[in-house]
Amino acid sequence: MHHAAASITGMGERTAERATGMNPKTEGGAGCLLAGLGATAAPLVWAPRAAVSIDGGFEGHARDLSVLFIDLPLIVLGGALVPLFAWALATRWVHRPWVAALVALATLALAVWGLTEWWTPRRQPDPGYGPGI
């Protein structure tokens, strides 16, 4: 009985390997690599836009540290999960690892572009810089 269960388990792994062309461990490693790339790229793109809220501008009047406690964790989490989910879906539909990697990278690029277009930190006007005389 044990020998039959082992052969069924081995057959499932070989079938998965044949379907995607990758070893399941390699497939998981590639997904983790893409998630790490996304978790690194998203905050690097986000950080220059959030710098104004962190240092506060003139005399720190516009300091908003919620960008560190709320926005940063969400940016890192989204940056990790978006390419990971795209990779998982693409490997199930396409069965070609290089196409799945391209889909995941394209999805990450679109997500980062969407982040830069949509997310803008709150900026208050500088004191003393009015419309003029």
Side-chain angles (χ1 to χ4, degrees), residues 6 8 13 22 27-28 53 64 71-72 74 89 91 101 105 122 132:
I8 291 173
E13 289 176 4
M22 288 183 85
E27 186 177 339
S53 295
D64 181 16
D71 295 348
L72 180 60
L74 291 174
L89 289 174
T91 55
L105 290 174
R122 183 179 62 115

Side-chain angles (χ1 to χ4, degrees), residues 1-10:
M1 186 65 137
H2 176 69
H3 187 65
S7 68
I8 291 173
T9 305

